[in-house]
């Protein structure tokens, strides 16, 4: 059963100097599934993403990726298992051209000319899929926020992940609908699972078949978008009465 899961989080807790950022969280993502993670500011969403990607170690609990326990594994070794992520606060090399930012995500160890040019053509394809290939030779730091978000996403996609962690990919984009269409095309092509953290509810509603809701570190609801959106605790803690 476990090998059908891309991700299985069990009893994960983490405390930062008295702040219980995650409190016994249980969450699963089936292979190829599109799962949402929502909740108010400070709920622990990015902390959970960091615990899965290996950028943080939980105090207790276990994280399994594709059926393997990865609790002790580094971020790079988790990436080699097929996981890619984006950061809420973009982590680009601002002085480097966009194309080099994306090529760097491929981790080309062998320096042969064919390998490098192969990596660059894959990077160009990834940029083209998000409609931003015309920025390839410009320094990433010189571009508007919305374009940098798409560069970050190109970095995640160029690795052809089996499981993608997205931390607020839509925030700051002027055309989230257009972005979503491209994202879904990419996920379909790769058969890739996704765990999406997002405050933009139309995006969560249209992408995610199942949604978890965190509040002050604890899960307060889970179900389809319609189910959680009508849950009294979710309305009170996050969505407000107008939802
Ligand atoms: N490295 C850290 N050291 C100390 N406290 C932290 C650290 N990272 C997060 N926190 C705290 O943990 C809690 C959860 O933060 P987190 O960033 O996971 O929230 P979030 O759900 O992603 O919020 P947002 O929607 O604003 O991005 C917050 O109270 C935050 O201040
Ligand atoms: Mg966050």
């Amino acid at each position: 059963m476990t090998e059908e899961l891309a991700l299985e989080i069990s009893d994960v807790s983490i405390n930062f100097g008295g702040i219980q950022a995650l409190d016994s969280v249980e969450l699963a993502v089936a292979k190829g599934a599109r799962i949402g993670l929502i909740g108010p500011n400070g709920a622990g969403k990015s902390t959970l993403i960091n615990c899965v990607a290996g950028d943080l170690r939980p105090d207790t609990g276990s994280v399994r990726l594709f059926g393997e326990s990865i609790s002790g594994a580094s971020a790079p070794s988790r990436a080699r298992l097929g996981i890619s992520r984006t950061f809420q606060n973009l982590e680009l090399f601002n002085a480097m051209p966009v194309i080099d930012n994306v090529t760097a995500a491929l981790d080309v160890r062998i320096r042969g000319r064919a390998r490098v040019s192969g990596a660059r053509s894959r990077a160009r394809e990834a940029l083209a899929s998000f409609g931003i290939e015309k920025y390839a030779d410009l320094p990433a730091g010189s571009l508007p926020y919305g374009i940098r978000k798409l560069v970050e996403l190109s970095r995640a996609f160029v690795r052809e992940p089996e499981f993608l962690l997205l931390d607020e990919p839509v925030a700051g984009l002027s055309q989230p609908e257009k972005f979503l269409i491209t994202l879904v095309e990419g996920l379909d092509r790769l058969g890739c699972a996704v765990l999406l953290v997002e405050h933009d509810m139309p995006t969560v509603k249209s992408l995610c078949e199942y949604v978890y809701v965190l509040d002050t570190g604890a899960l307060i609801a889970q179900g389809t978008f319609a189910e959680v959106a009508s849950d009294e605790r979710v309305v009170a803690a996050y969505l407000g009465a107008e939802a």
Side-chain angles (χ1 to χ4, degrees):
M1 192 180 82
T2 331
E3 64 266 27
E4 299 306 320
L5 292 177
L7 173 69
E8 190 176 15
I9 290 176
S10 180
D11 197 26
V12 160
S13 298
I14 188 166
N15 188 293
F16 297 115
I19 295 166
Q20 196 66 41
L22 294 174
D23 188 0
S24 300
V25 173
E26 308 269 334
L27 180 150
V29 177
K31 283 185 181 172
R34 293 163 189 181
I35 306 300
L37 178 61
I38 64 172
N41 296 120
K45 305 180 299 295
S46 295
T47 301
L48 187 76
I49 295 276
N50 288 331
C51 287
V52 176
D55 297 308
L56 272 179
R57 294 281 159 82
D59 299 331
T60 60
S62 80
V63 179
R64 296 176 77 83
L65 198 62
F66 303 112
E68 265 185 64
S69 174
I70 54 158
S71 299
S74 67
S77 62
R78 293 179 197 207
R80 281 190 286 275
L81 286 175
I83 205 166
S84 271
R85 71 164 303 174
T86 62
F87 289 88
Q88 180 171 356
N89 303 310
L90 303 175
E91 298 213 350
L92 298 175
F93 304 107
N94 283 324
M96 266 166 52
V98 163
I99 185 80
D100 293 344
N101 268 274
V102 180
T103 308
L106 278 171
D107 187 24
V108 188
R109 290 226 168 74
I110 298 166
R111 278 189 236 284
R113 199 177 279 182
R115 272 301 269 277
V116 172
S117 83
R120 287 178 81 82
S121 71
R122 274 175 70 182
R124 275 190 197 279
E125 275 171 38
L127 292 171
S129 73
F130 289 102
I132 55 169
E133 69 271 38
K134 66 180 169 210
Y135 303 106
D137 300 317
L138 298 177
S142 70
L143 298 171
Y145 183 70
I147 305 296
R148 281 186 283 137
K149 298 272 296 192
L150 295 175
V151 175
E152 174 94 355
L153 201 70
S154 303
R155 278 173 57 83
F157 255 102
V158 75
R159 308 173 55 101
E160 303 189 339
E162 280 178 75
F163 183 29
L164 194 55
L165 300 165
L166 298 178
D167 198 353
E168 301 197 26
V170 162
L173 292 185
S174 54
Q175 291 180 295
E177 317 76 25
K178 204 176 140 199
F179 161 85
L180 195 62
I181 291 166
T182 314
L183 174 64
V184 168
E185 278 171 9
L187 294 172
D188 283 347
R189 180 165 47 82
L190 299 173
C192 178
V194 65
L195 181 63
L196 170 76
V197 169
E198 190 45 75
H199 287 292
D200 184 73
M201 289 305 108
T203 298
V204 176
K205 184 179 180 181
S206 69
L207 185 71
C208 301
E209 59 228 27
Y210 198 84
V211 178
Y212 290 85
V213 188
L214 270 180
D215 183 30
T216 58
L219 285 176
I220 57 166
Q222 57 183 282
T224 63
F225 182 84
E227 283 165 356
V228 301
S230 61
D231 184 293
E232 273 175 34
R233 290 180 72 184
V234 179
V235 171
Y238 181 48
L239 293 176
E242 75 275 20

